[in-house]
Amino acid sequence: MSNMFTSRNPAGVAVAQTGAIFGVLAAGAVNAHMSGIAAARAVRESNNSNVLRHQLNIAVARAQDLCDVAVAQASEIEALKAENARLKAASATYLAAARRRAAA
């Protein structure tokens, strides 16, 4: 590049050198901006991943709680079925005894 002190067009050389300097600075600024955007996007995706992991853990815990309730309810239903069968047998016995007394 020419020296502006020895050139026939010092203003043109100054403009060219200043333009080159600003071009390099602008390229650096654009590169830094794009790197910042990429870093922000990576942080956002990481945060979204953490949020989804947390939501999944909550859903799994809720499903486990519901499974525990279902098992307890199934046990309760079996106990009620056994109680119902016992009461049916007792009422059949009492009915038979009442019929025998009524016939006598």
Side-chain angles (χ1 to χ4, degrees), residues 45-63:
E45 288 176 2
S46 175
N47 184 40
N48 289 344
S49 176
N50 289 337
V51 168
L52 289 175
R53 186 177 303 114
H54 177 68
Q55 290 173 345
L56 177 63
N57 289 339
I58 289 173
V60 167
R62 180 69 176 147

PDB file of all heavy atoms in Angstrom, residues 45-63:
ATOM      1  N   GLU A  45     -30.647 -23.776  24.492  1.00  0.00           N
ATOM      2  CA  GLU A  45     -30.941 -25.197  24.261  1.00  0.00           C
ATOM      3  C   GLU A  45     -30.607 -26.027  25.498  1.00  0.00           C
ATOM      4  O   GLU A  45     -31.343 -26.951  25.842  1.00  0.00           O
ATOM      5  CB  GLU A  45     -30.170 -25.690  23.043  1.00  0.00           C
ATOM      6  CG  GLU A  45     -30.711 -25.161  21.733  1.00  0.00           C
ATOM      7  CD  GLU A  45     -29.877 -25.568  20.533  1.00  0.00           C
ATOM      8  OE1 GLU A  45     -28.888 -26.300  20.716  1.00  0.00           O
ATOM      9  OE2 GLU A  45     -30.228 -25.144  19.423  1.00  0.00           O
ATOM     10  N   SER A  46     -29.514 -25.686  26.163  1.00  0.00           N
ATOM     11  CA  SER A  46     -29.159 -26.389  27.394  1.00  0.00           C
ATOM     12  C   SER A  46     -30.213 -26.161  28.468  1.00  0.00           C
ATOM     13  O   SER A  46     -30.612 -27.091  29.172  1.00  0.00           O
ATOM     14  CB  SER A  46     -27.797 -25.920  27.888  1.00  0.00           C
ATOM     15  OG  SER A  46     -27.492 -26.504  29.126  1.00  0.00           O
ATOM     16  N   ASN A  47     -30.675 -24.932  28.582  1.00  0.00           N
ATOM     17  CA  ASN A  47     -31.722 -24.617  29.561  1.00  0.00           C
ATOM     18  C   ASN A  47     -33.010 -25.363  29.222  1.00  0.00           C
ATOM     19  O   ASN A  47     -33.658 -25.925  30.111  1.00  0.00           O
ATOM     20  CB  ASN A  47     -31.974 -23.109  29.604  1.00  0.00           C
ATOM     21  CG  ASN A  47     -32.969 -22.736  30.675  1.00  0.00           C
ATOM     22  OD1 ASN A  47     -32.946 -23.287  31.767  1.00  0.00           O
ATOM     23  ND2 ASN A  47     -33.844 -21.806  30.371  1.00  0.00           N
ATOM     24  N   ASN A  48     -33.380 -25.374  27.942  1.00  0.00           N
ATOM     25  CA  ASN A  48     -34.582 -26.106  27.534  1.00  0.00           C
ATOM     26  C   ASN A  48     -34.431 -27.595  27.837  1.00  0.00           C
ATOM     27  O   ASN A  48     -35.383 -28.248  28.262  1.00  0.00           O
ATOM     28  CB  ASN A  48     -34.856 -25.898  26.047  1.00  0.00           C
ATOM     29  CG  ASN A  48     -35.334 -24.496  25.746  1.00  0.00           C
ATOM     30  OD1 ASN A  48     -35.738 -23.763  26.638  1.00  0.00           O
ATOM     31  ND2 ASN A  48     -35.259 -24.102  24.495  1.00  0.00           N
ATOM     32  N   SER A  49     -33.234 -28.125  27.640  1.00  0.00           N
ATOM     33  CA  SER A  49     -32.987 -29.532  27.944  1.00  0.00           C
ATOM     34  C   SER A  49     -33.146 -29.793  29.443  1.00  0.00           C
ATOM     35  O   SER A  49     -33.744 -30.800  29.840  1.00  0.00           O
ATOM     36  CB  SER A  49     -31.576 -29.915  27.492  1.00  0.00           C
ATOM     37  OG  SER A  49     -31.283 -31.234  27.848  1.00  0.00           O
ATOM     38  N   ASN A  50     -32.627 -28.887  30.258  1.00  0.00           N
ATOM     39  CA  ASN A  50     -32.776 -29.045  31.712  1.00  0.00           C
ATOM     40  C   ASN A  50     -34.240 -28.956  32.129  1.00  0.00           C
ATOM     41  O   ASN A  50     -34.684 -29.710  33.001  1.00  0.00           O
ATOM     42  CB  ASN A  50     -31.957 -27.985  32.453  1.00  0.00           C
ATOM     43  CG  ASN A  50     -30.468 -28.244  32.341  1.00  0.00           C
ATOM     44  OD1 ASN A  50     -30.045 -29.366  32.098  1.00  0.00           O
ATOM     45  ND2 ASN A  50     -29.676 -27.204  32.502  1.00  0.00           N
ATOM     46  N   VAL A  51     -34.987 -28.042  31.512  1.00  0.00           N
ATOM     47  CA  VAL A  51     -36.414 -27.914  31.830  1.00  0.00           C
ATOM     48  C   VAL A  51     -37.153 -29.192  31.451  1.00  0.00           C
ATOM     49  O   VAL A  51     -37.964 -29.711  32.228  1.00  0.00           O
ATOM     50  CB  VAL A  51     -37.017 -26.683  31.118  1.00  0.00           C
ATOM     51  CG1 VAL A  51     -38.533 -26.696  31.184  1.00  0.00           C
ATOM     52  CG2 VAL A  51     -36.479 -25.393  31.728  1.00  0.00           C
ATOM     53  N   LEU A  52     -36.861 -29.716  30.265  1.00  0.00           N
ATOM     54  CA  LEU A  52     -37.524 -30.955  29.835  1.00  0.00           C
ATOM     55  C   LEU A  52     -37.148 -32.128  30.737  1.00  0.00           C
ATOM     56  O   LEU A  52     -37.992 -32.961  31.069  1.00  0.00           O
ATOM     57  CB  LEU A  52     -37.165 -31.266  28.379  1.00  0.00           C
ATOM     58  CG  LEU A  52     -37.791 -30.341  27.345  1.00  0.00           C
ATOM     59  CD1 LEU A  52     -37.267 -30.680  25.954  1.00  0.00           C
ATOM     60  CD2 LEU A  52     -39.304 -30.425  27.366  1.00  0.00           C
ATOM     61  N   ARG A  53     -35.875 -32.190  31.166  1.00  0.00           N
ATOM     62  CA  ARG A  53     -35.455 -33.258  32.073  1.00  0.00           C
ATOM     63  C   ARG A  53     -36.206 -33.152  33.399  1.00  0.00           C
ATOM     64  O   ARG A  53     -36.670 -34.155  33.946  1.00  0.00           O
ATOM     65  CB  ARG A  53     -33.945 -33.176  32.310  1.00  0.00           C
ATOM     66  CG  ARG A  53     -33.407 -34.332  33.127  1.00  0.00           C
ATOM     67  CD  ARG A  53     -31.886 -34.295  33.302  1.00  0.00           C
ATOM     68  NE  ARG A  53     -31.197 -34.266  32.028  1.00  0.00           N
ATOM     69  CZ  ARG A  53     -30.471 -33.219  31.591  1.00  0.00           C
ATOM     70  NH1 ARG A  53     -30.333 -32.152  32.326  1.00  0.00           N
ATOM     71  NH2 ARG A  53     -29.873 -33.275  30.418  1.00  0.00           N
ATOM     72  N   HIS A  54     -36.358 -31.932  33.903  1.00  0.00           N
ATOM     73  CA  HIS A  54     -37.090 -31.717  35.153  1.00  0.00           C
ATOM     74  C   HIS A  54     -38.558 -32.127  34.995  1.00  0.00           C
ATOM     75  O   HIS A  54     -39.126 -32.799  35.865  1.00  0.00           O
ATOM     76  CB  HIS A  54     -36.974 -30.258  35.569  1.00  0.00           C
ATOM     77  CG  HIS A  54     -37.734 -29.911  36.802  1.00  0.00           C
ATOM     78  ND1 HIS A  54     -37.377 -30.388  38.044  1.00  0.00           N
ATOM     79  CD2 HIS A  54     -38.848 -29.167  37.001  1.00  0.00           C
ATOM     80  CE1 HIS A  54     -38.232 -29.931  38.944  1.00  0.00           C
ATOM     81  NE2 HIS A  54     -39.131 -29.195  38.326  1.00  0.00           N
ATOM     82  N   GLN A  55     -39.175 -31.729  33.872  1.00  0.00           N
ATOM     83  CA  GLN A  55     -40.568 -32.096  33.631  1.00  0.00           C
ATOM     84  C   GLN A  55     -40.722 -33.612  33.508  1.00  0.00           C
ATOM     85  O   GLN A  55     -41.705 -34.178  33.992  1.00  0.00           O
ATOM     86  CB  GLN A  55     -41.085 -31.404  32.376  1.00  0.00           C
ATOM     87  CG  GLN A  55     -41.265 -29.914  32.548  1.00  0.00           C
ATOM     88  CD  GLN A  55     -41.626 -29.211  31.257  1.00  0.00           C
ATOM     89  OE1 GLN A  55     -41.481 -29.768  30.164  1.00  0.00           O
ATOM     90  NE2 GLN A  55     -42.091 -27.984  31.365  1.00  0.00           N
ATOM     91  N   LEU A  56     -39.748 -34.263  32.876  1.00  0.00           N
ATOM     92  CA  LEU A  56     -39.795 -35.721  32.756  1.00  0.00           C
ATOM     93  C   LEU A  56     -39.690 -36.381  34.131  1.00  0.00           C
ATOM     94  O   LEU A  56     -40.422 -37.329  34.424  1.00  0.00           O
ATOM     95  CB  LEU A  56     -38.667 -36.211  31.848  1.00  0.00           C
ATOM     96  CG  LEU A  56     -38.553 -37.725  31.688  1.00  0.00           C
ATOM     97  CD1 LEU A  56     -39.802 -38.294  31.034  1.00  0.00           C
ATOM     98  CD2 LEU A  56     -37.320 -38.085  30.894  1.00  0.00           C
ATOM     99  N   ASN A  57     -38.800 -35.860  34.976  1.00  0.00           N
ATOM    100  CA  ASN A  57     -38.672 -36.419  36.328  1.00  0.00           C
ATOM    101  C   ASN A  57     -39.968 -36.257  37.114  1.00  0.00           C
ATOM    102  O   ASN A  57     -40.378 -37.164  37.843  1.00  0.00           O
ATOM    103  CB  ASN A  57     -37.511 -35.750  37.072  1.00  0.00           C
ATOM    104  CG  ASN A  57     -36.164 -36.170  36.533  1.00  0.00           C
ATOM    105  OD1 ASN A  57     -36.039 -37.214  35.891  1.00  0.00           O
ATOM    106  ND2 ASN A  57     -35.156 -35.359  36.767  1.00  0.00           N
ATOM    107  N   ILE A  58     -40.631 -35.115  36.965  1.00  0.00           N
ATOM    108  CA  ILE A  58     -41.913 -34.894  37.637  1.00  0.00           C
ATOM    109  C   ILE A  58     -42.954 -35.883  37.111  1.00  0.00           C
ATOM    110  O   ILE A  58     -43.711 -36.478  37.890  1.00  0.00           O
ATOM    111  CB  ILE A  58     -42.386 -33.441  37.450  1.00  0.00           C
ATOM    112  CG1 ILE A  58     -41.495 -32.504  38.265  1.00  0.00           C
ATOM    113  CG2 ILE A  58     -43.839 -33.273  37.856  1.00  0.00           C
ATOM    114  CD1 ILE A  58     -41.766 -31.039  38.011  1.00  0.00           C
ATOM    115  N   ALA A  59     -42.992 -36.076  35.785  1.00  0.00           N
ATOM    116  CA  ALA A  59     -43.966 -36.994  35.189  1.00  0.00           C
ATOM    117  C   ALA A  59     -43.719 -38.432  35.649  1.00  0.00           C
ATOM    118  O   ALA A  59     -44.666 -39.171  35.944  1.00  0.00           O
ATOM    119  CB  ALA A  59     -43.914 -36.905  33.663  1.00  0.00           C
ATOM    120  N   VAL A  60     -42.453 -38.830  35.734  1.00  0.00           N
ATOM    121  CA  VAL A  60     -42.134 -40.187  36.183  1.00  0.00           C
ATOM    122  C   VAL A  60     -42.545 -40.368  37.645  1.00  0.00           C
ATOM    123  O   VAL A  60     -43.118 -41.402  38.023  1.00  0.00           O
ATOM    124  CB  VAL A  60     -40.628 -40.480  35.977  1.00  0.00           C
ATOM    125  CG1 VAL A  60     -40.205 -41.727  36.720  1.00  0.00           C
ATOM    126  CG2 VAL A  60     -40.318 -40.607  34.494  1.00  0.00           C
ATOM    127  N   ALA A  61     -42.264 -39.360  38.471  1.00  0.00           N
ATOM    128  CA  ALA A  61     -42.656 -39.446  39.888  1.00  0.00           C
ATOM    129  C   ALA A  61     -44.169 -39.517  40.022  1.00  0.00           C
ATOM    130  O   ALA A  61     -44.698 -40.293  40.834  1.00  0.00           O
ATOM    131  CB  ALA A  61     -42.105 -38.245  40.657  1.00  0.00           C
ATOM    132  N   ARG A  62     -44.882 -38.739  39.226  1.00  0.00           N
ATOM    133  CA  ARG A  62     -46.351 -38.763  39.264  1.00  0.00           C
ATOM    134  C   ARG A  62     -46.873 -40.127  38.816  1.00  0.00           C
ATOM    135  O   ARG A  62     -47.810 -40.673  39.416  1.00  0.00           O
ATOM    136  CB  ARG A  62     -46.914 -37.655  38.373  1.00  0.00           C
ATOM    137  CG  ARG A  62     -48.405 -37.582  38.340  1.00  0.00           C
ATOM    138  CD  ARG A  62     -48.976 -37.109  39.648  1.00  0.00           C
ATOM    139  NE  ARG A  62     -50.408 -36.965  39.510  1.00  0.00           N
ATOM    140  CZ  ARG A  62     -51.257 -37.185  40.464  1.00  0.00           C
ATOM    141  NH1 ARG A  62     -50.822 -37.520  41.662  1.00  0.00           N
ATOM    142  NH2 ARG A  62     -52.533 -37.055  40.269  1.00  0.00           N
ATOM    143  N   ALA A  63     -46.279 -40.678  37.773  1.00  0.00           N
ATOM    144  CA  ALA A  63     -46.700 -42.002  37.303  1.00  0.00           C
ATOM    145  C   ALA A  63     -46.446 -43.058  38.374  1.00  0.00           C
ATOM    146  O   ALA A  63     -47.272 -43.953  38.577  1.00  0.00           O
ATOM    147  CB  ALA A  63     -45.963 -42.366  36.015  1.00  0.00           C
TER     148      ALA A  63
END
